[in-house]
Amino acid sequence: MTATIIDGKARAAALREDVAGEVATLKRDHDVTPGLAVVLVGEDPASKVYVANKAKQTVAAGMVSFEHKLTEETSEAALLELVAHLNADPDVDGILVQMPLPRHIDTDRVVEAIDPAKDVDGLHPMNAGKIVLGRPGLVPCTPRGCVILAKEAIGNLAGKHAVVVGRSILVGKPVSLLLQNENCTVSMAHSRTVDLPSLCRQADILVAAVGRQEMIRGDWVKPGACVIDVGINRIPAPEKGDGKTRLVGDVAFEEAVEVAGAITPVPGGVGPMTIACLLANTVTAARLRRGLPAVDL
Amino acid sequence: MTATIIDGKARAAALREDVAGEVATLKRDHDVTPGLAVVLVGEDPASKVYVANKAKQTVAAGMVSFEHKLTEETSEAALLELVAHLNADPDVDGILVQMPLPRHIDTDRVVEAIDPAKDVDGLHPMNAGKIVLGRPGLVPCTPRGCVILAKEAIGNLAGKHAVVVGRSILVGKPVSLLLQNENCTVSMAHSRTVDLPSLCRQADILVAAVGRQEMIRGDWVKPGACVIDVGINRIPAPEKGDGKTRLVGDVAFEEAVEVAGAITPVPGGVGPMTIACLLANTVTAARLRRGLPAVDL
């Protein structure tokens, strides 16, 4: 058996198109153009690429992109002042402060300073709490992408046993709560789990979010399961030439693809969903802030 | 095999004593007497008994109890005004609005109006979010009582497989997150779970919080497991006389006690822990509000 490959790139493109449609509706019916402000502190090369992509896709969806690039030496006070300014700016619907921040800045303090109604990364404790309480709020982007791809592959998730490996606050914990809100039975596993392989073998939906290359082997996968691989690990690829590298996930893809019913590739699986979900969150924030009901994106 | 009966009454009494000790320390070293304000709207007889118990135990621990009894007809606006007043009152460290509220009042709005730093019930989204993010905050009382009793029975919980049956926002969801923060592998089960008995049979720690009398049978329990029964169901007890009733849990106690390693009885298990944890939260709130480090209660 060979698994269906879940095409995250295509699903993300479809979501971005839906977002663009909603942006057009907001303009036409309410004279509103959603705006996303992205704040980058310092010169981290990966962050710079990521921020540039976000800005490009924001504009492509018909929204306004505000970019704030600050030097590595920016003080926490200056960053907090900028956040306060963006909180107060009526043209800004979403605020994203690119992580990681320089060490001299308290990340938690910055995140908590963002107006929860503009927290399109879904990292503010108010938004984390709303997931627990099952209330509408802004949901973290990568976890939401995982749920969308699982639905894409197997439809209704109710009653499925989901095993989430990894309990980071960015992915593992929120994805567990979102899957529970989809009426899955959810097991949350991690480095302290006893006999992880046999727990994984119970999973109808297996979410790997540990950040360890190819840790989850083919024989940990239940035949026919849906495998969502959140890992993005860069490893040497001498076969491509001297000093070359390639990306692999947290799942041993070549093994798992023979057992699973559906699986996300790396790259091209969960990765592309993150920015698409960020754009969707910006539309949601723009609507909720104006008292308009959220639309299902 | 007959299980050890976990004595929640004794554990709660010990916790209340620890709280009283911390209250004495706060008075002596900082001239602070923690204060707990309890707000009761309406005439629900069970709520009246519960509020009276809270007030009595608050005073017994050396703290100040403020009681606010409002009529059933109180408007939401008047209740919100009282909450704002209590938020601003420096003598009030903890605010508890007794649930359920009359139907004409929006419970979520009232809970969100409470200053999260005084939310000793741990119901505010900010506090729910802090559990997800693993940050210090005020933790809901009954879930915290469950974790304390599990530790009382089996010590360190790391690596244990906990199965939580029921996903209410008052008990099931927060206890899942607290057990995960104790390094348990946690499975969250509910009415949509397929083959619940066999999932339960994997549990080293089985938490029953469904509100259905004796739903969890003895043969759902793994031999030697720790069973925490949160259910409090009142059933007819004709054997005690005409019209008499008795309390039973969500677990079929007489069956489970023969299989489990340790089990909480109903009554006398989780129940007494709730108010004791409320008092502990009030001390924590009093300390954190003044910039003092939390003490381990």
Side-chain angles (χ1 to χ4, degrees):
Chain A
M1 172 166 154
T2 302
T4 303
I5 309 297
I6 304 170
D7 188 344
K9 224 168 144 181
R11 185 64 189 85
L15 177 53
R16 286 199 305 271
E17 231 171 83
D18 291 346
V19 168
E22 285 303 327
V23 169
T25 303
L26 269 174
K27 275 185 199 170
R28 190 189 62 216
D29 297 352
H30 302 282
D31 200 23
V32 166
T33 304
L36 173 62
V38 178
V39 180
L40 175 64
V41 183
E43 301 286 330
D44 181 70
S47 292
K48 279 168 98 165
V49 171
Y50 201 47
V51 163
N53 276 337
K54 285 172 184 171
K56 202 173 119 190
Q57 295 191 23
T58 301
V59 172
M63 298 192 279
V64 182
S65 172
F66 306 97
E67 284 174 78
H68 295 268
K69 295 182 178 169
L70 308 178
T71 66
E72 183 81 23
E73 292 71 36
T74 302
S75 69
E76 183 179 295
L79 179 56
L80 290 172
E81 202 176 310
L82 172 60
V83 168
H85 170 79
L86 297 172
N87 283 342
D89 185 341
D91 292 337
V92 173
D93 295 296
I95 302 170
L96 184 146
V97 178
Q98 184 65 41
M99 304 294 163
L101 289 170
R103 283 173 168 272
H104 65 277
I105 294 177
D106 181 337
T107 300
D108 288 352
R109 192 171 298 158
V110 173
V111 169
E112 287 197 29
I114 297 171
D115 179 349
K118 296 188 177 188
D119 167 43
V120 284
D121 243 357
L123 294 179
H124 194 285
M126 272 298 279
N127 284 316
K130 283 180 174 177
I131 301 180
V132 178
L133 304 173
R135 286 199 228 154
L138 295 167
V139 168
C141 302
T142 303
R144 185 148 179 257
C146 294
V147 173
I148 292 174
L149 291 183
K151 283 179 161 179
E152 176 83 359
I154 56 175
N156 186 356
L157 308 186
K160 303 287 182 195
H161 188 177
V163 175
V164 177
V165 187
R167 54 176 166 172
S168 69
I169 59 171
L170 290 178
V171 183
K173 286 194 189 180
V175 84
S176 301
L177 293 163
L178 292 176
L179 287 167
Q180 201 187 38
N181 291 348
E182 297 288 335
N183 295 315
C184 291
T185 303
V186 181
S187 295
M188 305 183 282
H190 44 78
S191 56
R192 306 292 287 271
T193 294
V194 177
D195 197 358
L196 181 58
S198 83
L199 184 62
C200 289
R201 275 192 285 270
Q202 296 183 37
D204 302 311
I205 301 166
L206 181 58
V207 180
V210 269
R212 286 180 56 187
Q213 59 180 80
E214 301 181 327
M215 184 184 109
I216 292 181
R217 313 307 308 187
D219 64 355
W220 299 21
V221 176
K222 173 166 142 178
C226 172
V227 177
I228 306 290
D229 189 350
V230 188
I232 300 181
N233 310 286
R234 190 169 286 283
I235 62 168
E239 73 279 9
K240 290 168 67 180
D242 219 30
K244 296 285 183 185
T245 60
R246 63 187 181 98
L247 295 178
V248 297
D250 291 347
V251 177
F253 183 85
E254 297 302 335
E255 295 173 13
V257 74
E258 298 298 330
V259 187
I263 186 168
T264 60
V266 175
V270 175
M273 293 300 294
T274 300
I275 295 183
C277 289
L278 173 69
L279 303 180
N281 265 352
T282 305
V283 168
T284 299
R287 294 185 62 92
L288 294 178
R289 286 182 59 229
R290 290 170 178 86
L292 301 168
V295 287
D296 201 18
L297 278 169
Chain B
M1 171 166 155
T2 302
T4 304
I5 309 298
I6 304 170
D7 188 343
K9 223 169 145 181
R11 186 64 189 83
L15 178 52
R16 287 199 305 271
E17 229 170 85
D18 291 346
V19 167
E22 285 304 326
V23 169
T25 303
L26 269 174
K27 275 187 199 170
R28 190 190 60 217
D29 296 351
H30 302 281
D31 199 23
V32 166
T33 304
L36 173 62
V38 179
V39 179
L40 175 64
V41 183
E43 301 286 330
D44 182 72
S47 292
K48 279 168 98 165
V49 171
Y50 201 46
V51 163
N53 275 338
K54 285 172 182 170
K56 203 174 119 188
Q57 295 190 25
T58 302
V59 172
M63 298 192 278
V64 181
S65 171
F66 305 97
E67 283 173 79
H68 295 268
K69 295 184 179 169
L70 309 178
T71 67
E72 183 81 25
E73 291 71 36
T74 302
S75 70
E76 183 179 296
L79 179 56
L80 290 172
E81 201 175 310
L82 172 59
V83 168
H85 169 81
L86 296 172
N87 283 342
D89 185 341
D91 292 336
V92 172
D93 294 296
I95 302 170
L96 184 146
V97 178
Q98 183 66 40
M99 303 297 164
L101 289 171
R103 283 172 168 271
H104 66 276
I105 295 177
D106 181 337
T107 300
D108 288 353
R109 192 171 298 157
V110 173
V111 169
E112 288 197 28
I114 297 171
D115 179 349
K118 296 188 176 187
D119 167 43
V120 283
D121 243 357
L123 294 179
H124 194 286
M126 273 297 280
N127 284 317
K130 284 180 172 175
I131 301 180
V132 178
L133 304 173
R135 286 198 228 153
L138 294 167
V139 168
C141 301
T142 303
R144 186 150 179 255
C146 294
V147 173
I148 292 174
L149 291 183
K151 284 179 161 179
E152 176 83 359
I154 56 176
N156 187 356
L157 308 186
K160 303 288 182 194
H161 188 178
V163 175
V164 177
V165 187
R167 51 174 167 173
S168 70
I169 60 172
L170 290 178
V171 182
K173 286 194 187 179
V175 83
S176 300
L177 293 162
L178 291 177
L179 287 166
Q180 202 187 36
N181 291 349
E182 296 289 334
N183 296 315
C184 291
T185 302
V186 182
S187 294
M188 305 184 283
H190 45 77
S191 56
R192 306 292 288 271
T193 294
V194 177
D195 197 359
L196 181 59
S198 83
L199 184 62
C200 289
R201 275 191 285 269
Q202 296 183 39
D204 302 310
I205 301 166
L206 181 58
V207 181
V210 269
R212 285 180 57 187
Q213 59 181 76
E214 299 182 329
M215 185 184 107
I216 292 180
R217 313 307 310 187
D219 64 357
W220 300 21
V221 176
K222 173 166 142 179
C226 172
V227 177
I228 306 289
D229 189 350
V230 187
I232 300 182
N233 310 286
R234 189 169 287 283
I235 64 168
E239 73 279 8
K240 290 167 68 179
D242 219 27
K244 295 285 182 185
T245 60
R246 64 187 181 96
L247 296 179
V248 298
D250 291 346
V251 177
F253 184 85
E254 297 302 336
E255 295 173 15
V257 73
E258 297 299 330
V259 187
I263 186 168
T264 60
V266 176
V270 175
M273 293 301 293
T274 300
I275 295 183
C277 289
L278 174 69
L279 303 180
N281 266 351
T282 305
V283 168
T284 299
R287 293 185 63 92
L288 293 178
R289 287 182 59 229
R290 290 170 179 85
L292 300 168
V295 287
D296 201 18
L297 278 169

